[in-house]
Amino acid sequence: MKYDFIAIGGATRDVSFFTDQGVLIKNKKDILRQELLGFEYGAKIKVDKFYYSFGGGAANAAVSFSNFGLKAAGIINVGDDEDGRAIINNFKDHKISTDFIRINKKTESGSSFILVSPGGERIIFGARGANYDLKIGPDEQKYLRNTSNIYLSSLSGAWLKNLQAIFQEVKNSNLKVYWNPGGQQLAGGLKKISSFLKNTTVLSVNKDEAIELVLSSDKNRKLRNSFLDKEENLIKIIKDFGPQIVVITLGGDGVIAYDGEKIYRHKIIKEKKRVDTTGIGDAFNSTFAAGFNCFGDIDSALRLALENTAAKVSHLGAQNGLLKKNLIKK
């Protein structure tokens, strides 16, 4: 079978819990940690309720692609446990291929505990589990020959070797890559990921991640905070790192994209009800990938991505509330 997208990265079983006991703290001293959520040390915190769902960057993206009528598969790892079986069944329920899922019999499946505030903002406590053992070897490279597009989310474990294997196949098979790098890739800095950026179709990061990536370059480390706080400066620097298109999400300030010729800006679409922001990055980035693949223009892809993000925020869990439209017919 020929797939429209194969998503590579994490899949988790999620538990969300809600509390209004936290205090938001502004932290102007650290540009990478501008807002903190604090709780009284030693206190017993009241939790209103728990909610069980699914998450993980690759899994969230695959659900989004399938909802748009695209043929999707995921290269992911799960454990030989109840959570792993639930993750696989969730793929089947969403008509996503499970052919490339590996079951690790020695490790538990990945999981996340997600603290959600009354305003819908969240903090995620993640256990990578089997996701840490994801390996892209000859079999996985062969799988990638069955797709036109790769959606690449956060990687852990042997992430550098995995990226080398993925981008080797990208060059050999002329694949398009939509990349939302994770914390370990950004921590590795430009020195480790520069060659991959030059073969990336769309690089998507949020503003904090953009700042981190820019500062990872030796020549940019003396840039002032006032310069780094302007997203136009960030996006032009990152475009020079090599991606064809750069997208930077700006939270409540919307999104900015750049293709080397034109800067595109869009404001957020106001959601009807703000319930849970978990997975909005995955929803936005995967929808932009789907839209750009089907429409071929940045503006249309951005509008669709913002529409899907607003729909998701009104629902609990990373995969609930996502739009269902058949983009193939457009």
Side-chain angles (χ1 to χ4, degrees):
M1 177 184 289
K2 186 75 172 180
Y3 297 98
D4 297 300
F5 278 90
I6 291 180
I8 305 173
T12 61
R13 192 76 164 96
D14 292 352
V15 180
S16 301
F17 57 98
F18 301 78
T19 180
D20 59 0
Q21 303 298 301
V23 177
L24 187 63
I25 303 168
K26 296 293 184 180
N27 181 31
K28 295 181 179 180
K29 294 182 179 180
D30 189 345
I31 196 170
L32 296 177
R33 298 172 181 83
Q34 298 184 43
E35 291 186 332
L36 307 174
L37 186 62
F39 294 88
E40 182 184 357
Y41 185 70
K44 186 174 183 179
I45 306 300
K46 176 181 175 292
V47 173
D48 294 331
K49 61 180 177 179
F50 291 93
Y51 181 83
Y52 297 86
S53 60
F54 298 93
N60 294 342
V63 170
S64 180
F65 296 139
S66 184
N67 281 356
F68 288 128
L70 301 172
K71 293 179 180 178
I75 296 179
I76 64 169
N77 268 19
V78 299
D80 188 15
D81 52 20
E82 183 178 347
D83 285 345
R85 289 184 284 275
I87 290 168
I88 292 172
N89 286 333
N90 184 56
F91 266 47
K92 293 177 179 178
D93 290 343
H94 285 91
K95 298 180 180 179
I96 302 165
S97 172
T98 61
D99 290 349
F100 309 145
I101 295 178
R102 288 191 179 275
I103 300 173
N104 189 325
K105 296 184 180 296
K106 297 181 179 180
T107 309
E108 72 279 359
S109 297
S111 58
S112 294
F113 295 87
I114 305 168
L115 187 157
V116 185
S117 73
E121 294 298 336
R122 82 287 182 267
I123 296 175
I124 300 175
F125 303 85
R128 298 297 293 175
N131 294 309
Y132 189 84
D133 298 320
L134 180 67
K135 289 182 175 59
I136 306 299
D139 287 343
E140 286 74 21
Q141 287 180 303
K142 183 173 64 176
Y143 301 155
L144 295 178
R145 296 166 200 165
N146 297 316
T147 189
S148 303
N149 304 283
I150 296 172
Y151 182 88
L152 188 55
S153 67
S154 177
L155 299 174
S156 55
W159 64 266
L160 185 55
K161 288 185 178 180
N162 286 339
L163 286 177
Q164 290 168 344
I166 291 166
F167 279 91
Q168 178 185 337
E169 195 57 46
V170 167
K171 294 178 183 178
N172 292 341
S173 302
N174 196 29
L175 302 175
K176 293 182 178 179
V177 179
Y178 298 81
W179 190 12
N180 177 216
Q184 291 194 39
Q185 288 77 71
L186 294 168
L190 188 62
K191 186 176 294 186
K192 289 192 175 181
I193 68 173
S194 175
S195 63
F196 310 130
L197 292 176
K198 291 177 173 63
N199 291 282
T200 297
T201 307
V202 177
L203 180 75
S204 299
V205 291
N206 63 36
K207 188 174 180 180
D208 284 345
E209 292 168 338
I211 292 170
E212 184 177 357
L213 182 57
V214 167
L215 288 177
S216 74
S217 172
D218 291 339
K219 70 177 183 179
N220 296 327
R221 287 178 183 166
K222 293 184 179 180
L223 293 175
R224 295 186 177 185
N225 286 356
S226 58
F227 180 90
L228 293 168
D229 199 43
K230 295 179 180 178
E231 52 270 14
E232 295 92 343
N233 296 333
L234 297 172
I235 205 165
K236 289 179 179 179
I237 291 173
I238 294 174
K239 178 66 178 72
D240 286 341
F241 292 161
Q244 292 180 32
I245 297 170
V246 181
V247 177
I248 301 178
T249 54
L250 307 171
D253 293 327
V255 61
I256 184 171
Y258 184 50
D259 60 2
E261 296 183 1
K262 178 181 177 181
I263 288 180
Y264 301 79
R265 275 188 174 274
H266 282 267
K267 296 180 179 179
I268 64 169
I269 296 174
K270 190 66 176 178
E271 67 276 358
K272 294 180 180 179
K273 184 179 180 182
R274 192 176 183 85
V275 175
D276 181 10
T277 62
T278 304
I280 59 171
D282 297 329
F284 179 90
N285 294 324
S286 60
T287 305
F288 181 86
F292 188 72
N293 176 66
C294 294
F295 304 144
D297 75 273
I298 292 174
D299 261 327
S300 297
L302 287 174
R303 283 194 291 269
L304 181 65
L306 289 165
E307 184 183 355
N308 204 13
T309 301
K312 192 248 91 53
V313 170
S314 300
H315 295 76
L316 297 172
Q319 299 174 7
N320 297 318
L322 295 172
L323 298 175
K324 293 185 178 181
K325 295 183 177 182
N326 194 339
L327 299 186
I328 299 298
K329 293 181 180 179
K330 295 191 175 186

